[in-house]
């Protein structure tokens, strides 16, 4: 019973947080860098052309599409990196931290308004299947992973799929691109 109340309260907080965000712009807009708000320094690298995603060993791991954003502080040696924390199947411990990168020649620095998002409200986890795509709120494809990623907790299930955050993005994974992992 307490678990259900906690989930309901968390969902309510998520709705309030998302309602306060600028819903007319996706998490990472593809506006040109010249349209930065006055006095705002760029805070993300945004993919502007289809970009190969590589793993820590430099092997091909997927593809990022225009609009996918990565924290600007993650750039090193011309590569913007992001990580995915994978949990064990019981949802208790992190089993792996997968680090991915993209060459910044496919990206530009932009300012994106930070969003308040509650990170975890689900009691189950998802695993994105190999080749599964992740989309933004507008339905634009942002990234695919060749070998899949997860499991990890998601925020909520919506009409657009399973919602979660991936670096500087709020993303949705369609139902047919995920495997649900029930946590008891």
């Amino acid at each position: 019973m307490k678990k259900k109340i906690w989930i309901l309260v968390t969902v309510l907080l998520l709705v309030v947080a998302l309602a306060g965000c600028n819903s007319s712009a996706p998490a990472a807009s593809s506006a040109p860098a010249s349209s930065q708000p006055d006095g705002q320094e760029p805070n993300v690298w945004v993919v502007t052309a289809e970009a190969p995603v590589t793993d820590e060993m430099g092997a091909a791991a997927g593809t990022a599409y225009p609009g996918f954003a990565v924290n600007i502080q993650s750039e090193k040696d011309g590569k913007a990196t992001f990580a995915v924390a994978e949990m064990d199947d019981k949802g208790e411990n992190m089993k792996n931290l997968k680090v991915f990168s993209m060459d910044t020649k496919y990206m530009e620095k932009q300012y994106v308004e930070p969003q308040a998002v509650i990170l975890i409200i689900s009691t189950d986890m998802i695993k994105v299947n190999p080749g599964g795509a992740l989309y933004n709120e507008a339905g634009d494809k942002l990234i695919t992973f060749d070998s899949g990623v997860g499991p990890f907790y998601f925020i909520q299930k919506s009409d657009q799929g399973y919602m979660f955050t991936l670096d500087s993005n709020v993303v949705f994974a369609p139902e047919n691109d995920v495997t649900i992992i029930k946590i008891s």
Side-chain angles (χ1 to χ4, degrees):
M1 180 67 172
K2 285 183 181 181
K3 193 175 197 179
K4 287 182 181 181
I5 292 172
W6 182 83
I7 291 171
L8 290 173
V9 169
T10 307
V11 168
L12 179 61
L13 290 173
L14 173 67
V15 169
V16 170
L18 290 176
C21 295
N22 180 359
S23 60
S24 64
S29 69
S30 55
S34 61
S35 67
Q36 301 298 329
D38 290 336
Q40 297 293 343
E41 292 293 321
N43 59 353
V44 294
W45 281 102
V46 177
V47 175
T48 56
E50 196 170 300
V53 176
T54 56
D55 64 16
E56 289 176 288
M57 306 307 260
T63 305
Y65 299 89
F68 185 74
V70 178
N71 186 309
I72 204 162
Q73 295 176 353
S74 69
E75 189 264 333
K76 182 178 180 183
D77 299 327
K79 302 272 186 191
T81 61
F82 65 98
V84 176
E86 297 179 316
M87 303 295 289
D88 63 20
D89 287 342
K90 294 180 181 179
E92 297 172 354
N93 300 302
M94 185 176 70
K95 70 173 185 176
N96 191 22
L97 184 67
K98 285 189 174 180
V99 178
F100 300 97
S101 63
M102 296 163 292
D103 195 310
T104 56
K105 72 181 180 184
Y106 300 101
M107 309 171 94
E108 69 179 25
K109 293 178 182 179
Q110 294 182 11
Y111 175 79
V112 173
E113 191 68 36
Q115 296 191 20
V117 176
I118 298 169
L119 295 180
I120 300 172
I121 66 166
S122 63
T123 56
D124 296 324
M125 296 187 301
I126 59 171
K127 180 174 181 163
V128 178
N129 298 330
L134 304 178
Y135 298 85
N136 65 12
E137 187 176 20
D140 303 319
K141 187 188 297 186
L142 292 180
I143 194 164
T144 58
F145 292 99
D146 296 343
S147 62
V149 291
F152 45 81
Y153 288 100
F154 60 96
I155 298 170
Q156 69 178 1
K157 183 180 177 201
S158 73
D159 292 341
Q160 296 166 296
Y162 292 91
M163 175 188 204
F164 59 98
T165 58
L166 182 60
D167 203 272
S168 298
N169 308 273
V170 175
V171 296
F172 297 86
E175 263 188 270
N176 59 338
D177 284 348
V178 300
T179 301
I180 303 296
I181 299 176
K182 296 285 187 187
I183 305 297
S184 50

